[in-house]
Amino acid sequence: MMELVCPAGTPAALRAAVEAGAHAVYCGFNDETNARNFPGLNFNREEMAEGVAHAHARGAKVLVAINTFPRAGDQGLWHRAVADAGAAGADAVILADIGLLAHAAEKHPGLRLHLSVQAAAANPDAINLYAESFGVKRVVLPRVLTVDEIAAINREIDVETEVFVFGGLCVMAEGRCALSSYATGKSPNMNGVCSPASHVAYAEVNGAQEARLGEFLIHRTPKGATAPYPTLCKGCFSSPDAKGNDQVGHIFEDPASLDATHLIPALQKAGVSALKIEGRQRSRAYVAQVVRAFRAAVEAADRGLPMPESLLAKLTEGQASTTGAYAKIWR
Amino acid sequence: MMRILSDPSVKLLGRSIPLPTPPLTPLSMLFSRLMRHVLSRHPSILRRMGATAGSRFLIQVTDMPFPILLEPSLRRLTVVPRRAKPAHDTEIRGSLKAFLAMLHAEEDGDALFFSGQLEISGDTSSVVALRNALDDAEIDLTEEIASLAGPAGPALRRMSALLERRTGLSLSRRRLGEDPEDHSR
Ligand code: SF4
């Protein structure tokens, strides 16, 4: 059966994920070393050790994401995170930075290494380099590939692949987006936050809900209408058309979330080892519902049964879903 | 489902009789007592919130007669008159049903936000921190009140279960694996 890798932003979410049938849970420390460095979220050292013990006692694994890029001169924070994840009993660490991979391979040879989606390794040459140089055992593929491309990659590599099947989409080649840095000075790659809450302001203006990121107005939605996350890539902007008239639209991407439920059998055939659910910033209610639905889907795929209808639409951003790049209907 | 009107009133013989404005000070004292109780049972809330615990959250429950001012680090939960808007750092607006469903993990806060059922303004970091801290604390409102009520606890639990069935509001935490739609417990 394909492994179901589920998000946990808090110990309560970790317990909810395990209870709902996660084979593995991924989580991070409460600092800049992980790409979901949100206020009130994540695990301190003690909570991490307890979380690992809780998951292991119930047959689930814990993967610790240390997937931001260390700042030169400040590597100590990231090195400590790797050592502490190992000491807590983590089954693997999910890393993105080449220097940190080298450090982990050298100093913690017994620790299993997964390559984060943030490393954006999207072809066999890149993946094989990480496998040969650092002993990486699994690669999380960026969300820019079709199912056929994933199958072709799997034929040319010896490591496991993990792909996203549900949750918020980051449209850029992962780890290469500068939109958040441009607007706020903080980025997912360096600080673990895209469009950080500290720079987001909502206000009701003339009966509409406005969202600003830094100095940019990124949405104006009528009261009660669906609203997306305040990320620049999902902003709705106006720009003059050829005749100088205002045209309004989502310039980068429509606010829709990934739901690849019905592609699970195809991904299994393509040789994918693990399926990942996005959403460490979400509540334990989200975790429990999504994990339960996907555990049923993975089991159905394993028995060659048809995929259950997805009932998760209301949990998705913009309350609309897409199969993203997998089926090439990318905008 | 029961609806609580924003102008509090009771129906008597088909006529709507307005209720007097609730006595706010005793209610505030009661709420603050409950809040201190919750924070002492769940110390991780203030730890998770860090500096944002110093923020003042104005909570506008749209179908309640009065807003509530939440000041975590002062361990204070105050009922304020609808018209007097006290100084605050952030404002959260939604129905009682939405707030309770979020507290008890029947609904996801982001999903409520995406669908426009929850609105926020002001300092977004504080709201995110509060949401995450409360979600991790796995609060059960009925249990919190019952554990404070001493010998009246068991009766309170029964009353809460009855009220939950009558109103469809989420008044207690569903144990993992329970059906969130099932209010027949
Ligand atoms: S702005 Fe959008 S594409 Fe860029 S990092 Fe954020 S979520 Fe990803």
Side-chain angles (χ1 to χ4, degrees), chain A residues 5-17 22 24-44 48 61-69 78 81 85 92-96 114-118 140 143 162 164 166-169 174 187-189 191-194 229 257 276-288 290-291 315, chain B residues 48 108-110 114 128-129 131-133 135-136:
Chain A
V5 183
C6 307
T10 60
L14 179 143
R15 292 192 292 274
V25 178
Y26 67 104
C27 45
F29 290 119
N30 51 356
D31 56 33
E32 287 175 277
T33 61
N34 91 81
R36 286 286 185 276
N37 181 22
F38 290 17
L41 210 63
N42 296 316
F43 292 65
N44 62 26
M48 187 63 83
K61 295 184 203 159
V62 174
L63 319 176
V64 178
I66 307 171
N67 55 349
T68 48
F69 294 81
W78 281 262
V93 286
I94 310 170
L95 310 180
H114 289 186
L115 189 68
S116 166
V117 68
Q118 296 289 114
V140 185
R143 288 161 273 195
E162 177 175 311
F164 280 93
F166 191 83
L169 275 172
E174 249 100 359
S187 76
N189 317 348
N191 313 95
V193 276
C194 171
Y229 278 127
S257 289
K276 185 166 213 154
I277 295 166
E278 186 274 348
R280 281 190 283 146
Q281 74 284 17
R282 303 291 291 265
S283 67
R284 61 187 210 275
Y286 165 96
V287 169
V290 178
V291 173
L315 288 170
Chain B
R48 278 197 174 269
D108 171 67
D110 286 10
F114 295 151
V128 173
R131 198 284 305 266
N132 290 332
D135 193 51
D136 184 53

Side-chain angles (χ1 to χ4, degrees), chain B residues 19-85:
Chain B
L19 282 178
T21 315
L24 299 187
T25 313
L27 207 57
S28 292
M29 283 164 66
L30 213 71
F31 277 19
S32 289
R33 175 83 185 86
L34 176 63
M35 168 129 168
R36 287 195 300 277
H37 182 64
V38 169
L39 289 178
S40 69
R41 277 164 57 102
H42 306 273
S44 68
I45 296 178
L46 289 180
R47 182 170 46 74
R48 278 197 174 269
M49 290 191 73
T52 64
S55 291
R56 293 156 301 176
F57 301 81
L58 185 63
I59 303 186
Q60 299 272 11
V61 185
T62 48
D63 43 6
M64 291 262 283
F66 40 77
I68 298 166
L69 187 68
L70 169 68
E71 296 163 288
S73 60
L74 297 179
R75 297 169 184 257
R76 210 158 60 190
L77 193 60
T78 329
V79 178
V80 291
R82 168 89 47 216
R83 269 168 273 281
K85 218 175 190 184

Side-chain angles (χ1 to χ4, degrees), chain A residues 71-76:
Chain A
R71 272 187 310 276
D74 255 347
Q75 311 87 308

Side-chain angles (χ1 to χ4, degrees), chain A residues 169-172 177 179 188 194 231-234:
Chain A
L169 275 172
C170 184
V171 275
M172 307 303 163
C177 176
L179 282 173
C194 171
T231 51
L232 267 182
C233 65
K234 284 148 196 141

Side-chain angles (χ1 to χ4, degrees), chain B residues 9-22:
Chain B
S9 59
V10 283
K11 282 243 183 241
L12 205 63
L13 302 172
R15 282 176 56 203
S16 194
I17 317 267
L19 282 178
T21 315

Side-chain angles (χ1 to χ4, degrees), chain A residues 219-299:
Chain A
H219 300 288
R220 185 181 284 133
T221 36
K223 247 177 107 68
T226 61
Y229 278 127
T231 51
L232 267 182
C233 65
K234 284 148 196 141
C236 185
F237 302 99
S238 68
S239 61
D241 65 11
K243 294 193 184 102
N245 299 322
D246 243 11
Q247 49 177 358
V248 177
H250 295 99
I251 291 179
F252 302 106
E253 191 205 15
D254 287 343
S257 289
L258 178 69
D259 185 354
T261 306
H262 74 266
L263 292 174
I264 291 175
L267 291 165
Q268 189 170 32
K269 244 175 96 194
V272 168
S273 305
L275 302 176
K276 185 166 213 154
I277 295 166
E278 186 274 348
R280 281 190 283 146
Q281 74 284 17
R282 303 291 291 265
S283 67
R284 61 187 210 275
Y286 165 96
V287 169
Q289 289 176 55
V290 178
V291 173
R292 202 169 293 131
F294 273 90
R295 176 64 190 255
V298 168
E299 283 185 11

